[in-house]
C-alpha cells in the first residue's frame, strides 16, 4: 500500500546522526535547489543586484555560491585539508557525490566529515545573507575556526568521534591539539 520511492544518493548525509538539525534543514533546501539565490530570484521575476557577495566577480548562481566561488572553494579546501583529505574541490554535484560516498561509513572521521559538509553549506548561506543584507565581509579564518570548534564541542557526545578528534588540531592555525588545550 505504501509506494516505493527511489532512494537518493545523498540520504546518508541528510540522515547522519551527527548533523545538527538547523544545518540539516539548510542542506535539505540546498539539495532541492530551493535556496533563494540571485539566479532563482530572477527566474521568478525579482530583480536584485546579481554579483556574488563574496568575490564580486561574477553573477551569483547556486553553483557559483557552492564551491565555484574562490572564497567558498578556499574555505572548503581548508576544511578538507584539516580533515586530512587532499583533493581538488569540484562543483556542487561533484562534492555532493563525494560526501555521499563518505556518509556511507559510520567511522568517526566520516561522521565528522558529513557534519562539516552540512555545516559548510549552512555557514556559506548564513555568511552570504550577512554579506548581502548587512554588508558584512566574510572572515574565512573565523568561519573555519567556528566549524572546528563546533565539531569539537559536538564530538564530546559522539563516542565514535573521540579517536578522530584527538588526531585533529583544535584550531586550523595553531599547533595545539585538543589534548593540549583541555
Amino acid at each position: 500500500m505504501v509506494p516505493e520511492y527511489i532512494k537518493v544518493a545523498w540520504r546518508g548525509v541528510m540522515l547522519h546522526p551527527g548533523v545538527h538539525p538547523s544545518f540539516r534543514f539548510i542542506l535539505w533546501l540546498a539539495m532541492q535547489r530551493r535556496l533563494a539565490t540571485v539566479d532563482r530570484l530572477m527566474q521568478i521575476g525579482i530583480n536584485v543586484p546579481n554579483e556574488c557577495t563574496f568575490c564580486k566577480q561574477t553573477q551569483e548562481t547556486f553553483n557559483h555560491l557552492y564551491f565555484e566561488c574562490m572564497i567558498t572553494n578556499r574555505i572548503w579546501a581548508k576544511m578538507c585539508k584539516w580533515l586530512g583529505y587532499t583533493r581538488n574541490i569540484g562543483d556542487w554535484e561533484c562534492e555532493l557525490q563525494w560526501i555521499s560516498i563518505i556518509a556511507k561509513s559510520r567511522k568517526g572521521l566520516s561522521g565528522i566529515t558529513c557534519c562539516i559538509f552540512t555545516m559548510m553549506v549552512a555557514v556559506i548561506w548564513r555568511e552570504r545573507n550577512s554579506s548581502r543584507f548587512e554588508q558584512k565581509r566574510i572572515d574565512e579564518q573565523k568561519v573555519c575556526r567556528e566549524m572546528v570548534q563546533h565539531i569539537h564541542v559536538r564530538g564530546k557526545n559522539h563516542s565514535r568521534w573521540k579517536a578522530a578528534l584527538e588526531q585533529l588540531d583544535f584550531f586550523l592555525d595553531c599547533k595545539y591539539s585538543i589534548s593540549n588545550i583541555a
Side-chain angles (χ1 to χ4, degrees), residues 36-42 46-54 56 58-61 128 131-133 135:
T37 55
V38 170
D39 61 331
R40 188 156 194 279
L41 292 173
M42 288 183 160
I46 299 172
N47 290 324
V48 293
N50 66 352
E51 71 179 7
C52 174
T53 61
F54 296 138
K56 308 224 185 297
T58 186
Q59 181 180 352
E60 178 190 291
T61 63
R128 177 260 188 201
S131 180
R132 185 163 291 278
F133 301 118
Q135 285 71 41

Side-chain angles (χ1 to χ4, degrees), residues 106-148:
R106 293 294 181 201
K107 293 181 181 176
L109 187 60
S110 299
I112 294 169
T113 306
C114 286
C115 193
I116 286 285
F117 178 79
T118 306
M119 189 174 183
M120 180 77 189
V121 172
V123 167
I124 287 173
W125 187 246
R126 182 195 70 202
E127 291 297 319
R128 177 260 188 201
N129 289 335
S130 293
S131 180
R132 185 163 291 278
F133 301 118
E134 299 171 15
Q135 285 71 41
K136 291 184 179 178
R137 293 187 42 82
I138 187 169
D139 182 352
E140 295 176 43
Q141 191 65 26
K142 182 181 169 196
V143 167
C144 291
R145 202 175 270 240
E146 175 190 352
M147 287 193 275
V148 169

